[in-house]
Amino acid sequence: MKENTGNPLHLKSLNHISLLCRSVEESMSFYQNVLGFLPIRRPGSFDFDGAWLFGHGIGIHLLQSPEPEKLLKKTEINPKDNHISFQCESMEAVEKKLKEMEIEHVRAAVEEGGIQVDQLFFHDPDGFMIEICNCDSLPVIPLAGEMARSCSRLNINHLVQPSHPTQIHP
């Protein structure tokens, strides 16, 4: 196996995130009807309630909390809180849809080098933050060595390559 100093665990991609829920059914409805995720088969050997969904290249695993009343529910929408972000084609269409669905949201913007990225933040039913953005317009600029790329065209393996590959022999 070739040693890769920029990727020591030989990671390929993000597979899924797991979210603890008060109600798996309510969260499933949100992720399907608001974000367009599709339910997928979950191993039957699990001895706890949950659901798996897939969409936009990522899985979301919903786990039923054994004590839902003890889960804290965040109500303030704080863009600096933990969140997952999705890129979209039209910020205007997303904001219009959020308003139609009566989903409370906060608008934010980031400007860097004359490029503006628009952001919308809102919560899922359990208070987990979701961001929708047009982040693809902001280039990913490595700190050293490579040319800039946009997020959707970024292949991290091209950014971090050992200058001279090292072979590890078993």
Side-chain angles (χ1 to χ4, degrees):
M1 183 187 311
K2 184 169 76 169
E3 182 180 331
N4 185 340
T5 57
N7 185 4
L9 299 181
H10 304 275
L11 303 178
K12 297 188 320 183
S13 65
L14 177 63
N15 180 269
H16 71 272
I17 62 168
S18 289
L19 300 172
L20 204 52
C21 305
R22 282 183 190 73
S23 165
V24 168
E25 292 77 21
E26 187 179 347
S27 292
M28 273 189 71
S29 176
F30 174 86
Y31 282 96
Q32 286 180 268
N33 299 323
V34 176
L35 297 175
F37 279 78
L38 299 172
I40 60 171
R41 189 168 179 263
R42 181 176 174 257
S45 59
F46 287 143
D47 63 354
F48 55 92
D49 290 336
W52 286 9
L53 299 109
F54 187 81
H56 318 292
I58 185 173
I60 293 186
H61 295 183
L62 303 174
L63 309 174
Q64 178 63 51
S65 172
E67 300 179 292
E69 68 283 352
K70 291 188 178 180
L71 287 180
L72 295 176
K73 184 171 181 179
K74 295 179 181 176
T75 54
E76 179 189 353
I77 299 175
N78 178 357
K80 295 179 186 170
D81 204 346
N82 294 329
H83 63 274
I84 186 169
S85 179
F86 297 95
Q87 295 185 134
C88 71
E89 294 177 17
S90 168
M91 291 298 290
E92 295 76 21
V94 170
E95 188 162 30
K96 180 180 178 201
K97 195 66 171 173
L98 290 175
K99 287 178 181 175
E100 286 173 10
M101 299 172 113
E102 298 181 351
I103 295 176
E104 183 182 352
H105 59 279
V106 169
R107 182 180 260 284
V110 175
E111 192 197 321
E112 179 69 26
I115 298 170
Q116 181 169 318
V117 171
D118 297 308
Q119 304 164 297
L120 295 168
F121 293 89
F122 53 96
H123 288 138
D124 78 357
D126 295 293
F128 184 72
M129 182 83 67
I130 309 291
E131 174 189 1
I132 308 291
C133 69
N134 59 355
C135 300
D136 200 34
S137 59
L138 189 63
V140 174
I141 302 173
L143 294 177
E146 271 285 330
M147 57 188 255
R149 294 187 170 94
S150 70
C151 289
S152 64
R153 293 183 209 93
L154 181 66
N155 180 344
I156 198 70
N157 290 326
H158 288 102
L159 293 179
V160 185
Q161 293 279 334
S163 56
H164 44 285
T166 306
Q167 294 291 326
I168 298 176
H169 301 282

